[in-house]
Amino acid sequence: MISQFFVLSQRGDNIVFRDYRGEVPKGSAEIFFRKVKFWKEDGEGDAPPVFNVDGVNYFHVKVAGLLFVATTRVNVSPSLVLELLQRIARVIKDYLGILNEDSLRKNFVLVYELLDEVIDFGYVKTTSTEVLKSYIFNEPIVIDAARLPSLGAAGIFMQGSKRRMPGTAVTKSVVANEPGGRKREEIFVDIIEKISVTFSSSGYILTSEIDGTIQMKSYLSGNPEIRLALNDDLSIGRGRSSIYDYGNSSGSGSVILDDCNFHESVHLDNFDIDRTLALVPPDGEFPVMNYRMTQEFRTPFRINALIEEAGPLKAEVILKVRAEFASSITANTILVQMPLPAYTTRVTFELEPGAVGNTTDFKEANKRLEWGLKKIVGGSEHTLRAKLTFSQESHGNIVKESGPVSMTFTIPMYNCSRLQVKYLQIAKKSKTDHPYRWVRYVTQANSYVARL
Amino acid sequence: MAPPAQSHRSSSPSQPSGKGEVSDLKSQLRQLAGSRAPGVDDSKRDLFKKVISYMTIGIDVSAVFGEMVMCSATSDIVLKKMCYLYVGNYAKVNPDLALLTINFLQRDCKDADPMIRGLALRSLCSLRVANLVEYLVGPLGSGLKDNSSYVRIVAVMGVLKLYHISASTCVDADFPQTLKHLMLNDSDTQVVANCLTALQEIWSAEASTSEEASREREALLSKPVVFYFLNRIREFSEWAQCLVLDLAAKYVPSDNNEIFDIMNLLEDRLQHANGAVVLATIKLFLQLTLSMADVHQQVYERIKAPLLTLVSSGSPEQSYAVLSHLHLLVMRAPYIFSSDYKHFYCQYNEPSYVKKLKLEMLTAVANESNTYEIVTELCEYAANVDIPIARESIRAVGKIALQQYDVNAIVDRLLQFLEMEKDYVTAEALVLVKDLLRKYPQWSQDCIAVVGNISSKNVQEPKAKAALIWMLGEYSQEMHDAPYILESLIENWDEEHSAEVRLHLLTAVMKCFFKRPPETQKALGAALAAGLADFHQDVHDRALFYYRVLQHNVSVAERVVNPPKQAVSVFADTQSSEIKDRIFDEFNSLSVVYQKPSYMFTDKEHRGPFEFSDELGNLSIGAESAVGTVVPAHRVEANDKDLLLSTSEKEEIKGPSNNGSAYSAPSYDGSAVSAASQALSELTILNPSVPGLTPQSSLAIDDLLGLGLPEIPSPAAAPSPPLLKLNSKAILDPGTFQQKWRQLPISLSQEYSVSPQGVAALTTSEALLRHMQGHSIHCIASGGQSPNFKFFFFAQKAEELSTFLVECIINTSSAKAQIKIKADDQSASQEFSALFQSALSKFGVP
């Protein structure tokens, strides 16, 4: 049970504010914002998602640069409230197409209407876009997507893959019609994998994990049933074979998930037999399945990093990145970062001859080297040399005072787990209409780190 | 919404100041009010939007109330919704205006469109105006019978809102019974779920005054009701599922088969993508299996994978909430998670609140097989750019060292930290080496060699400096130049800002003096002189105390300041096991995230509805009144009592208590008494927070200081009862207590009178519970203030595991105690009651 819900902009302005129970004193939004702002300035890092000030519990999630906040005086389940906030953000996004400060301000009446149906007297009624549709009467005022720089997950597909995808499709509202009045029948299935890898100083993989989601967004009319077939050789339950005996499937080639969970609309009746998921997709974007895998996989990039003293008050850094995927695939928005010794004063960079789309920078404030690459084509190797100048002699080991190297990237149409959607079947009565089916893969770095 | 509070915002240029705009709106609305021109609804929509946007940013637009109401005569549902929103916001502050709306809302409640009926009813109930409740009863009554489930859903919540405005109106209209009927019969699951929500809130609030409500509340937890919900759980929305799971977690199954039935039924809820559903299911599974150790452990194994999946999917905020729960489980049963340690490795981009949890988990799961890898990983973080995390990591390494048997490799790592030459790393490492030496004196050779190389000038942080000075004093024999380092530190006495460091310096130079008198004599003299001149009271008093003790007898002084020490076996936990159990009982709540039981952060009326712990919740547990870090005496071995004390001023306390019998009390002149009483006051401050510092030991010190303080009644003096013998070391965790209290019937209910001495002695609840403990009756929770005190006690028979539970309410102004006894063995409760009464009657009697 929550007492209030509000959305604050980055500057702390109320965009939407709803009080459901009248138990929390006025001014809570300001108390909250002040606390969050000063948490960081007090050197304690980010404010935790849940904290208590004078008996009032504040919950918040950050979505699209906005703060979605709930307050309560009751000792509630934190998971429930944080999940709820995330869902509210998702419902709003389903309706507005694009969620940001601008779209929210333009559509605040619609948002109030949604909130009234989502929460009554502090209790959740429903967060299903499907259910809400019959209660909502305001039409969204859709903002222009083209001039938006970043679109989060949707943006992944817009970069470098325009030929394949109609980029605006993912950012359209569940209720708005296409220009021309006719709604396009289509369904999107995205396999999004976030990978975390830590390489030891000798290049050996210390830990690796894939956190994946099969995300679906359906614009199909008439609620047809969908069947999604995954790899035949998929098995679940690594590391708990003592409880679940799935037989010895750890042979080569098979995909072994540690664990997974499913959206409530998914029927698993045939999952054990032929690895198919059956569901009637509700409106809006939702995760069909979340999975986690620690089975070894081919890492997309190898990182070689070296720092060496080069005379008094000088050192040299060599960073090498090699793409270990097929040349038909291109990674984009790559950023390599490396903390340097605290007494570094100046850095000069030297790129390979002919390098294009590279940016290099030395962030003085946090003594960090940054190397950005627009694109990396599979199979290629890129090198950066940097000469460091120090303000004082280093006493200890400069290797210990710098690093680790971290890397972020996005690789469209590539996934590490080899989990696949083999087919996507739509049980549709009408034979004339063939809905568009988009199955897309993307891999992103979550924490991709090489130690020195 | 909070219009007035934020009105000062309106001064910012981007937002209109209000006044002019509001009167503009007013006239425009007035023009449109009567118009039936085509397109008028669109213009109204625009104006309404403006009104609501002003309202959101905090401008007071209540002035247009009348116009808004006039304009709401429309069939446009969007307009109606905006109008309802507006009315709901201003009705409470303007009750007379609210009256204007009643008419049109009541009319809308009879509209042909169920949407409008529902919306109007919701708005009507949301007005929160007490003198309008009479208008609510009729529409609510018909709303509950409406054909449309949408209206019924709204009406059920409306009943709850009515209850909060006027409880008597709600109860008199017999709405709770109507809801109960709907709950068990309605075809719509959301109606059913809302009924459950509303009834839980209403009956919990009523239960304190009404026997019937209390019975109804119990009935919600009866087997037919719980299974009615559980069997249909898949039909409910995910949020309503959480509600059902919470209900089931409070149900006490009659036998193990029932437990397994429930678990089989809900097994697949663990694979739900909604973390709230999974955590509610886990809570239920953990609660159900508490009494079956082996199954309970299987539950841990089973929930591991789903929890880890939730941690790594979803937003960082959601994963933090789940991680906090995983953290709790890891702390409870680290061995179950010891092979999963890699999941607790930190990622460089995680927020520090996540990293802190993970570091604690890594520390907890370290065992013989994984320590090497964990410590290697932690050492990587020690070089991290994030300094707070680097510090935490070093502390984690230290903690692992203190909990391991084979510390060989770890000591090496710690010593490497000292060689890293980063200030904060050195500082943290010094503190750790000190603790390590207190536990493993055998490592002193290796450590001292490295510590000796550290220049005291490079150590600035008080904690680290104090640690270094402690080592200089403790190992002055082995550290070649200890007297000279101490001497140079004493020379800079005036520049030392930390009183803690100066206190340590005094003690260290004393210790050094006993070992190497000729080299230290000069430094000691300087230190005592500087200490006597110190403006800080503690420092001055300690210097004076040392001076006089030395004057009295040097060998006595040595025994006081530097007695032989035992190696520390276990460093005490910062949190008592009672507190931990309480947090565990409150699984899937904020208590887990805050790592505090709910009574510490919520006030009574806002504690979760419908919880037994309401009763225990507002009471503090056992003796840990204000301090919050108390371990009950019987849980901690006596030789651990000095382990918590990290600064040397506390060593003096230990000194006399160890050698008390051999020590003859000297006579003090006036000023020395002040020093002694200073020490004594430290002692009494420490007393409640130091586990194991039993009354006997403080008694010994009282005697020893010869101050003739009144004696604390010794537990040993308690006469043992004639027949029924109780176990003086009885243990019961709060979870079991709650469960038993729920299960057992009241076997005896009595009222005793309390002696006047007893009333006089009962100034705080601690006094009584200490007294009762002397009679082997232990307190699990207590609270209240004069004149009303409430206690929950338990006791166990000496020979068998048969427990008595007691609720005891004492009113000091009427000198009466009301006792409710529940017992495993009901035949013995009379006897126990006699015993309890006799124990209580001795309270306050010298």
Side-chain angles (χ1 to χ4, degrees):
Chain A
M1 186 193 73
I2 63 167
S3 196
Q4 298 168 322
F5 168 82
F6 47 91
V7 182
L8 300 185
S9 74
Q10 256 160 344
R11 294 177 308 280
D13 300 331
N14 276 355
I15 302 177
V16 175
F17 189 104
R18 197 86 175 87
D19 191 334
Y20 292 101
R21 311 253 327 179
E23 293 166 338
V24 171
K26 299 187 188 306
S28 54
E30 285 194 8
I31 294 171
F32 165 79
F33 190 70
R34 206 178 284 270
K35 192 87 187 168
V36 168
K37 207 173 135 202
F38 289 116
W39 207 290
K40 196 153 206 164
E41 289 170 18
D42 290 346
E44 298 197 47
D46 282 336
V50 187
F51 55 82
N52 182 306
V53 181
D54 297 333
V56 178
N57 303 298
Y58 294 85
F59 298 80
H60 75 279
V61 301
K62 277 182 210 153
V63 185
L66 300 163
L67 291 161
F68 284 70
V69 192
T71 65
T72 180
R73 286 185 172 274
V74 180
N75 187 17
V76 292
S77 157
S79 276
L80 189 135
V81 179
L82 293 168
E83 189 89 39
L84 170 65
L85 291 174
Q86 205 74 44
R87 293 297 183 86
I88 292 175
R90 198 155 80 202
V91 167
I92 296 176
K93 181 176 178 282
D94 281 344
Y95 266 86
L96 306 188
I98 292 158
L99 175 60
N100 62 18
E101 187 176 339
D102 188 28
S103 69
L104 209 58
R105 280 192 191 277
K106 282 209 168 72
N107 286 287
F108 70 94
V109 176
L110 169 61
V111 173
Y112 276 126
E113 194 183 5
L114 283 168
L115 283 175
D116 271 344
E117 298 300 337
V118 169
I119 300 169
D120 194 7
F121 208 45
Y123 291 102
V124 197
K125 263 199 294 188
T126 181
T127 49
S128 152
T129 305
E130 177 85 20
V131 175
L132 286 166
K133 252 180 152 177
S134 49
Y135 306 135
I136 303 300
F137 297 90
N138 274 297
E139 295 243 330
I141 301 160
V142 181
I143 61 164
D144 187 7
R147 56 192 182 83
L148 291 167
S150 161
L151 296 168
I156 299 166
F157 299 109
M158 294 182 66
Q159 298 155 350
S161 54
K162 283 193 183 92
R163 188 172 45 84
R164 245 185 285 243
M165 276 350 132
T168 52
V170 220
T171 60
K172 75 180 181 191
S173 161
V174 285
V175 288
N177 287 330
E178 296 275 293
R182 207 169 131 271
K183 218 177 139 181
R184 193 147 92 152
E185 293 278 303
E186 55 187 347
I187 181 165
F188 295 85
V189 177
D190 298 337
I191 293 91
I192 301 168
E193 294 190 346
K194 298 195 169 178
I195 59 173
S196 302
V197 181
T198 308
F199 296 97
S200 73
S201 50
S202 47
Y204 157 82
I205 296 174
L206 287 169
T207 58
S208 64
E209 180 169 311
I210 301 173
D211 299 316
T213 301
I214 302 181
Q215 191 131 307
M216 190 178 273
K217 192 163 189 182
S218 157
Y219 296 93
L220 301 175
S221 57
N223 289 348
E225 194 190 62
I226 305 277
R227 295 177 74 80
L228 260 178
L230 307 178
N231 315 34
D232 294 328
D233 58 0
L234 180 74
S235 60
I236 300 161
R238 193 174 126 104
R240 45 172 167 140
S241 49
S242 55
I243 306 169
Y244 295 101
D245 197 8
Y246 284 100
N248 192 3
S249 55
S250 55
S252 64
S254 64
V255 177
I256 308 166
L257 304 180
D258 288 37
D259 185 54
C260 57
N261 60 37
F262 302 96
H263 187 261
E264 55 175 1
S265 65
V266 178
H267 293 285
L268 295 169
D269 305 344
N270 285 330
F271 188 66
D272 284 340
I273 308 159
D274 58 4
R275 297 295 177 218
T276 46
L277 306 170
L279 68 152
V280 176
D283 281 327
E285 190 177 274
F286 68 97
V288 175
M289 171 180 169
N290 295 308
Y291 57 93
R292 181 167 56 82
M293 185 172 126
T294 51
Q295 186 190 16
E296 273 181 36
F297 59 91
R298 243 185 106 108
T299 52
F301 292 101
R302 280 270 154 194
I303 307 172
N304 270 313
L306 196 70
I307 181 164
E308 276 179 338
E309 278 183 81
L313 302 176
K314 273 189 170 52
E316 189 178 34
V317 172
I318 303 172
L319 287 174
K320 263 196 194 116
V321 172
R322 195 169 71 242
E324 306 213 300
F325 42 85
S327 57
S328 58
I329 286 166
T330 305
N332 48 43
T333 53
I334 300 104
L335 183 65
V336 184
Q337 302 187 42
M338 176 177 168
L340 300 175
Y343 39 80
T344 309
T345 49
R346 207 158 56 87
V347 182
T348 53
F349 295 98
E350 190 184 314
L351 285 162
E352 289 167 300
V356 282
N358 279 225
T359 55
T360 51
D361 197 5
F362 170 57
K363 294 272 186 247
E364 188 82 47
N366 46 16
K367 304 287 178 193
R368 197 194 295 267
L369 175 161
E370 291 190 358
W371 175 25
L373 296 98
K374 229 179 201 148
K375 273 180 198 167
I376 296 184
V377 178
S380 62
E381 190 179 277
H382 302 260
T383 309
L384 173 75
R385 287 164 187 277
K387 294 196 180 346
L388 316 184
T389 311
F390 297 149
S391 61
Q392 66 176 72
E393 203 116 9
S394 101
H395 327 273
N397 191 340
I398 53 168
V399 174
K400 278 226 153 91
E401 311 218 2
S402 42
V405 179
S406 62
M407 189 172 172
T408 57
F409 51 81
T410 299
I411 318 175
M413 299 322 286
Y414 176 83
N415 73 333
C416 291
S417 69
R418 289 180 297 110
L419 179 103
Q420 279 182 313
V421 174
K422 276 175 36 204
Y423 61 84
L424 168 66
Q425 203 175 60
I426 304 169
K428 186 101 184 176
K429 275 133 213 146
S430 134
K431 291 193 176 56
T432 51
D433 208 21
H434 287 288
Y436 294 91
R437 283 172 276 194
W438 309 102
V439 178
R440 309 178 293 187
Y441 296 86
V442 70
T443 296
Q444 282 180 299
N446 181 23
S447 161
Y448 205 82
V449 171
R451 288 180 177 155
L452 290 174
Chain B
M1 243 159 280
Q6 279 122 22
S7 51
H8 67 266
R9 284 250 181 100
S10 54
S11 57
S12 81
S14 64
Q15 286 164 356
S17 64
K19 285 254 163 61
E21 286 83 351
V22 173
S23 57
D24 251 19
L25 277 175
K26 199 179 168 92
S27 64
Q28 286 176 358
L29 280 168
R30 185 159 291 177
Q31 280 170 10
L32 290 178
S35 164
R36 297 206 187 278
V40 73
D41 277 351
D42 286 339
S43 346
K44 278 190 197 169
R45 278 195 192 191
D46 286 343
L47 285 176
F48 274 35
K49 263 187 200 171
K50 234 178 228 167
V51 171
I52 292 183
S53 90
Y54 285 171
M55 190 171 91
T56 299
I57 56 175
I59 295 171
D60 185 0
V61 281
S62 61
V64 299
F65 205 104
E67 286 74 16
M68 287 292 281
V69 174
M70 277 195 277
C71 283
S72 64
T74 168
S75 56
D76 182 8
I77 200 157
V78 174
L79 271 179
K80 268 200 194 300
K81 281 194 169 190
M82 285 196 267
C83 186
Y84 294 151
L85 179 68
Y86 172 88
V87 166
N89 196 38
Y90 285 109
K92 196 182 160 103
V93 272
N94 303 297
D96 40 335
L97 289 176
L99 197 59
L100 291 175
T101 64
I102 290 285
N103 248 334
F104 91 86
L105 286 175
Q106 272 186 325
R107 197 176 55 235
D108 285 355
C109 282
K110 296 186 184 118
D111 199 282
D113 182 353
M115 266 312 287
I116 302 217
R117 291 202 299 276
L119 287 170
L121 186 59
R122 190 166 66 208
S123 307
L124 196 57
C125 298
S126 303
L127 295 179
R128 293 188 212 160
V129 180
N131 56 13
L132 298 180
V133 289
E134 53 192 294
Y135 301 102
L136 297 187
V137 178
L140 272 178
S142 34
L144 290 171
K145 291 192 214 86
D146 203 288
N147 294 329
S148 157
S149 59
Y150 181 78
V151 181
R152 292 200 304 280
I153 290 170
V154 169
V156 173
M157 273 327 216
V159 168
L160 182 57
K161 290 174 193 166
L162 171 62
Y163 179 82
H164 280 271
I165 307 167
S166 166
S168 57
T169 316
C170 180
V171 175
D172 291 347
D174 211 20
F175 280 139
Q177 287 306 321
T178 317
L179 293 196
K180 188 180 171 189
H181 180 79
L182 272 182
M183 179 178 84
L184 298 174
N185 296 291
D186 204 285
S187 56
D188 187 286
T189 50
Q190 195 57 46
V191 175
V192 173
N194 278 10
C195 287
L196 177 60
T197 307
L199 287 177
Q200 288 191 340
E201 247 196 90
I202 293 173
W203 279 333
S204 304
E206 287 286 295
S208 54
T209 52
S210 150
E211 278 286 318
E212 193 203 334
S214 156
R215 260 199 312 280
E216 292 285 6
R217 186 172 72 153
E218 295 284 313
L220 283 181
L221 289 176
S222 65
K223 185 171 173 178
V225 176
V226 170
F227 274 81
Y228 163 77
F229 280 109
L230 284 179
N231 285 323
R232 304 175 67 186
I233 193 162
R234 276 167 202 78
E235 299 164 30
F236 287 91
S237 79
E238 50 196 317
W239 309 106
Q241 289 185 14
C242 295
L243 193 67
V244 172
L245 291 166
D246 284 348
L247 178 80
K250 287 169 204 133
Y251 169 67
V252 184
S254 53
D255 58 34
N256 285 0
N257 286 336
E258 224 177 275
I259 292 177
F260 292 122
D261 284 348
I262 296 175
M263 287 174 59
N264 286 326
L265 186 68
L266 299 175
E267 161 76 23
D268 65 345
R269 296 297 94 190
L270 292 174
Q271 283 204 321
H272 204 287
N274 185 332
V277 173
V278 177
L279 280 176
T281 311
I282 289 175
K283 168 163 188 167
L284 175 61
F285 281 23
L286 291 172
Q287 293 280 333
L288 287 175
T289 56
L290 266 180
S291 56
M292 299 182 279
D294 49 335
V295 188
H296 195 63
Q297 179 157 346
Q298 282 174 28
V299 170
Y300 271 80
E301 296 282 359
R302 174 65 186 92
I303 62 186
K304 218 196 275 186
L307 279 173
L308 289 169
T309 305
L310 285 176
V311 168
S312 52
S313 59
S315 67
E317 294 91 357
Q318 286 159 295
S319 80
Y320 169 68
V322 179
L323 192 69
S324 303
H325 286 83
L326 190 60
H327 175 266
L328 174 75
L329 297 176
V330 167
M331 292 315 196
R332 271 185 95 79
Y335 55 96
I336 293 179
F337 296 90
S338 57
S339 58
D340 302 290
Y341 62 93
K342 282 195 177 178
H343 290 290
F344 311 140
Y345 282 1
C346 297
Q347 292 176 353
Y348 79 99
N349 52 356
E350 281 170 332
S352 50
Y353 52 79
V354 167
K355 285 184 180 162
K356 272 185 195 147
L357 284 181
K358 286 193 165 178
L359 289 176
E360 284 176 36
M361 287 153 94
L362 278 176
T363 313
V365 299
N367 65 10
E368 279 111 82
S369 59
N370 60 22
T371 294
Y372 178 79
E373 284 174 75
I374 291 177
V375 171
T376 308
E377 182 74 12
L378 288 171
C379 291
E380 289 286 343
Y381 307 154
N384 204 301
V385 282
D386 182 352
I387 292 176
I389 292 302
R391 285 175 180 271
E392 293 279 349
S393 307
I394 299 167
R395 272 176 233 157
V397 173
K399 273 190 211 148
I400 293 176
L402 292 174
Q403 73 196 18
Q404 295 290 313
Y405 302 98
D406 176 30
V407 288
N408 210 336
I410 304 181
V411 173
D412 279 351
R413 305 284 185 110
L414 277 178
L415 297 179
Q416 278 172 24
F417 285 149
L418 289 177
E419 289 160 355
M420 271 171 70
E421 299 202 14
K422 283 191 183 179
D423 294 349
Y424 60 91
V425 176
T426 310
E428 289 295 338
L430 273 175
V431 175
L432 280 178
V433 169
K434 177 207 69 182
D435 285 341
L436 210 62
L437 287 175
R438 292 171 61 204
K439 185 164 176 184
Y440 308 105
Q442 65 269 32
W443 289 103
S444 56
Q445 291 293 324
D446 305 63
C447 296
I448 291 315
V450 180
V451 171
N453 289 334
I454 295 173
S455 161
S456 60
K457 290 186 187 64
N458 292 342
V459 182
Q460 289 307 324
E461 288 175 39
K463 283 257 175 286
K465 214 167 182 177
L468 179 64
I469 291 169
W470 181 86
M471 286 187 269
L472 286 169
E474 197 65 28
Y475 298 97
S476 37
Q477 202 74 272
E478 292 85 351
M479 290 168 95
H480 197 63
D481 44 3
Y484 309 104
I485 301 175
L486 287 172
E487 195 173 331
S488 72
L489 285 166
I490 290 161
E491 278 168 20
N492 294 320
W493 185 275
D494 292 333
E495 280 132 59
E496 184 50 62
H497 297 293
S498 160
E500 187 190 353
V501 172
R502 298 201 299 275
L503 284 167
H504 272 275
L505 206 46
L506 277 174
T507 309
V509 76
M510 282 285 275
K511 287 180 186 167
C512 188
F513 170 73
F514 298 130
K515 289 169 190 157
R516 299 160 73 172
E519 292 160 280
T520 322
Q521 197 169 9
K522 190 177 146 225
L524 178 62
L528 288 177
L532 285 170
D534 202 281
F535 64 93
H536 193 276
Q537 192 66 43
D538 288 350
V539 178
H540 169 264
D541 288 352
R542 182 176 291 184
L544 189 65
F545 179 69
Y546 283 167
Y547 177 67
R548 297 203 195 261
V549 171
L550 282 171
Q551 252 186 343
H552 170 73
N553 182 331
V554 174
S555 70
V556 166
E558 179 167 10
R559 283 211 301 274
V560 172
V561 179
N562 194 29
K565 284 182 196 62
Q566 282 176 324
V568 169
S569 60
V570 186
F571 282 86
D573 230 323
T574 50
Q575 220 168 26
S576 78
S577 46
E578 265 85 0
I579 296 237
K580 287 183 191 162
D581 285 345
R582 273 295 277 283
I583 296 171
F584 181 72
D585 283 341
E586 294 173 351
F587 195 86
N588 195 23
S589 78
L590 288 168
S591 314
V592 178
V593 175
Y594 298 153
Q595 301 184 13
K596 282 179 193 163
S598 57
Y599 70 81
M600 291 188 181
F601 63 89
T602 42
D603 31 70
K604 191 182 169 227
E605 67 264 37
H606 294 299
R607 225 151 280 140
F610 200 57
E611 277 182 22
F612 170 78
S613 48
D614 272 6
E615 271 177 58
L616 285 175
N618 51 359
L619 307 172
S620 63
I621 296 180
E624 86 256 321
S625 51
V627 186
T629 55
V630 175
V631 184
H634 59 265
R635 293 261 175 115
V636 179
E637 285 164 43
N639 67 336
D640 283 345
K641 64 174 178 253
D642 52 329
L643 311 186
L644 270 190
L645 316 178
S646 60
T647 51
S648 66
E649 71 246 55
K650 292 154 195 164
E651 283 164 21
E652 279 111 72
I653 296 165
K654 190 185 102 194
S657 69
N658 280 354
N659 313 312
S661 55
Y663 187 58
S664 58
S667 59
Y668 291 97
D669 62 22
S671 60
V673 170
S674 82
S677 58
Q678 171 74 24
L680 194 69
S681 68
E682 274 172 22
L683 200 160
T684 41
I685 293 159
L686 284 167
N687 209 348
S689 67
V690 178
L693 201 58
T694 54
Q696 287 98 322
S697 63
S698 53
L699 202 67
I701 302 172
D702 295 340
D703 272 354
L704 173 136
L705 293 173
L707 293 175
L709 290 182
E711 284 188 17
I712 299 163
S714 160
S720 47
L723 291 163
L724 181 70
K725 282 227 175 13
L726 296 177
N727 178 2
S728 62
K729 292 194 168 69
I731 290 172
L732 194 69
D733 66 275
T736 326
F737 185 95
Q738 288 195 18
Q739 204 177 4
K740 274 183 181 290
W741 187 262
R742 234 167 14 216
Q743 282 168 335
L744 294 170
I746 295 177
S747 62
L748 201 70
S749 179
Q750 277 185 318
E751 194 173 271
Y752 314 139
S753 44
V754 183
S755 68
Q757 297 99 314
V759 171
L762 191 61
T763 49
T764 62
S765 49
E766 281 75 34
L768 178 65
L769 56 93
R770 227 175 288 133
H771 168 78
M772 296 306 273
Q773 195 164 348
H775 293 264
S776 305
I777 298 168
H778 306 273
C779 182
I780 196 145
S782 67
Q785 282 174 336
S786 187
N788 284 304
F789 292 91
K790 187 168 180 181
F791 301 88
F792 284 93
F793 291 106
F794 69 92
Q796 268 165 4
K797 284 191 187 175
E799 307 85 24
E800 45 184 315
L801 215 65
S802 172
T803 313
F804 301 97
L805 310 177
V806 189
E807 182 199 86
C808 171
I809 299 167
I810 300 181
N811 183 299
T812 48
S813 57
S814 65
K816 290 271 189 268
Q818 285 177 326
I819 312 292
K820 281 190 190 128
I821 296 174
K822 299 190 178 188
D824 285 337
D825 173 12
Q826 304 204 9
S827 61
S829 37
Q830 196 66 49
E831 213 177 315
F832 175 75
S833 167
L835 200 145
F836 189 89
Q837 191 174 3
S838 104
L840 191 62
S841 66
K842 294 197 181 79
F843 180 56
V845 179

